[in-house]
Amino acid sequence: MNEYLRQRLVAERARAIGVRLAVDAGDRLTEREIAILKDISEGRANKEIARRLNVSVDTVKADMKRIFSKLDVTDRTRAVIVAIQRGSLCI
């Protein structure tokens, strides 16, 4: 079995029993997602983040949903904490 398939199988089995592995390849944060988390860590609201990134507030909200999914969290504060713990964000 090739390495990619082995890693996917391990990740699927871990999820099935409720274990979250460190980072799957699809869980890596993009540069924009990291920028959004940095702004959140500095106390900025979605509207201000959207202005800074020159995107719509809806785009920021969609990015936040993706970030929450990748980090397996449900709120902004926890997203920043988990990103720092994983080494994806330095503040």
Side-chain angles (χ1 to χ4, degrees), residues 77-88:
T77 303
R78 189 75 184 134
V80 170
I81 292 168
V82 170
I84 291 169
Q85 289 173 339
R86 290 187 182 182
S88 299

Side-chain angles (χ1 to χ4, degrees), residues 11-74:
E12 287 175 23
R13 285 184 182 165
R15 284 189 185 120
I17 61 171
V19 175
R20 177 79 174 155
L21 298 178
V23 178
D24 290 336
D27 288 345
R28 293 200 179 106
L29 298 172
T30 65
E31 287 183 34
R32 183 162 78 191
E33 291 166 343
I34 293 169
I36 289 170
L37 285 169
K38 178 78 171 160
D39 283 344
I40 290 169
S41 74
E42 294 171 356
R44 292 189 177 88
N46 287 353
K47 189 173 182 179
E48 189 176 356
I49 295 168
R51 252 193 319 257
R52 288 171 54 86
L53 297 176
N54 199 30
V55 298
S56 73
V57 173
D58 287 339
T59 299
V60 173
K61 289 178 182 179
D63 288 340
M64 288 301 303
K65 285 182 183 180
R66 236 181 346 273
I67 291 168
F68 287 4
S69 175
K70 287 180 179 183
L71 298 179
D72 196 26
V73 299
T74 57

